[in-house]
Amino acid sequence: WIDALQQTLEDTGAAPQAARAAACDAVARIQGALLLCRALQERAPFLAAMTGLRETLATLGHGPAQSPPPAS
């Protein structure tokens, strides 16, 4: 799923090299957070990782993280 995330980031305007690095970093953060959640038996590491990733990934393509527009 690294390739899929990379492509999505490129589609939003990220440079290919930056998109690949960010996709690898995102997968590593997610997998690490899941491991910590299991070890600690709590979900806080995953929630923290998702918050950080949202901010990080959003800046690659379109600037600061924003909530998606409401569905019509």
Side-chain angles (χ1 to χ4, degrees):
W1 50 290
I2 292 172
D3 292 339
L5 181 53
Q6 177 184 354
Q7 186 60 57
T8 300
L9 293 169
E10 287 180 32
D11 290 348
T12 63
Q17 202 167 29
R20 183 67 178 188
C24 288
D25 179 62
V27 171
R29 285 196 212 183
I30 291 166
Q31 293 299 321
L34 290 173
L35 182 69
L36 283 173
C37 287
R38 180 141 177 129
L40 300 174
Q41 296 186 5
E42 62 181 59
R43 62 184 190 156
F46 184 77
L47 297 174
M50 294 304 97
T51 298
L53 279 175
R54 182 172 181 266
E55 296 295 323
T56 300
L57 296 177
T59 60
L60 284 175
H62 294 295
Q66 299 174 356
S67 297
S72 27

